[in-house]
Amino acid sequence: MPDDTPPILLALPDTALRTLLETLLMAYGTKVKVALSAQAALGMMEARTPLAMAIVDSNLPGVEINHLLIRARVACDSNCRIVLITDTVTQNWIDRLGEGLIDDLILRTEDSEYLQLRVRVALNAQRLEEDLKGLRENLENRTKLDCLTGVYNRETILTL
């Protein structure tokens, strides 16, 4: 990954799970930030330094998890995926997925291979979204500029 790629926040109090995911992410060349409490996680999210993804434990101490997720969604930019690790899939979590408050759910009770697979899928989805954003920007520039000269085309000049 390029050096300018934003880090992934691991807000996981469970040492074994955090170590497993941190090792996996670092093996992919991803920068990782760790938060052990809700306050630390929110502090990193609200610092306005971009994050590629936030992997948050539903058992994170320090604040009610729905409140944390709402504040996280507001604090993180639209490119930051929020992945929740939870013990069970409840209707509450399904509703939060539908609302766009979280982007994915991962069950903590699954084996480590499954967890690794789901994190790899989340990383790939994040990278595809970044690629799509770049392609959209490129297309937008191509529609505004003349191919030969590189200056604004007639339509863009009339719009301006």
Side-chain angles (χ1 to χ4, degrees):
M1 286 179 106
D3 289 336
D4 62 343
T5 302
I8 291 178
L9 172 64
L10 290 180
L12 304 167
D14 180 347
T15 306
L17 181 59
R18 185 177 63 249
T19 302
L20 173 74
L21 295 180
E22 189 172 11
T23 303
L24 174 70
L25 292 170
M26 293 175 87
Y28 282 111
T30 306
K31 292 181 258 179
V32 176
K33 288 186 174 186
V34 175
L36 302 178
S37 70
Q39 288 78 17
L42 281 171
M44 290 180 193
M45 290 179 206
E46 292 173 344
R48 297 292 180 208
T49 54
L51 294 170
M53 185 183 315
I55 300 175
V56 180
D57 192 328
S58 64
N59 296 329
L60 196 62
V63 73
E64 198 272 324
I65 191 66
N66 280 318
H67 179 69
L68 171 72
L69 293 172
I70 291 168
R71 288 186 59 190
R73 180 53 71 200
V74 170
C76 287
D77 67 12
S78 60
N79 296 328
C80 178
R81 296 177 60 81
I82 298 177
V83 178
L84 183 72
I85 294 184
T86 184
D87 297 315
T88 58
V89 176
T90 63
Q91 187 60 46
N92 178 42
W93 297 137
I94 293 170
D95 292 344
R96 299 302 169 258
L97 271 170
E99 295 165 358
L101 192 60
I102 55 177
D103 298 298
D104 199 3
L105 282 172
I106 298 176
L107 287 173
R108 176 191 343 274
T109 56
E110 298 295 337
D111 63 23
S112 65
E113 290 177 6
Y114 176 79
L115 287 171
Q116 291 177 18
L117 175 67
R118 291 299 301 273
V119 169
R120 280 195 302 250
V121 167
L123 283 172
N124 287 337
Q126 179 66 28
R127 289 185 182 131
L128 288 173
E129 286 177 12
E130 290 172 4
D131 290 347
L132 183 59
K133 181 182 175 188
L135 290 171
R136 281 188 183 132
E137 289 172 358
N138 188 7
L139 181 61
E140 186 177 313
N141 286 337
R142 289 176 145 224
T143 61
K144 291 180 180 180
L145 302 176
D146 178 73
C147 306
L148 182 62
T149 62
V151 298
Y152 286 135
N153 60 26
R154 182 177 188 275
E155 292 81 20
T156 303
I157 291 172
L158 290 175
T159 302
L160 293 172

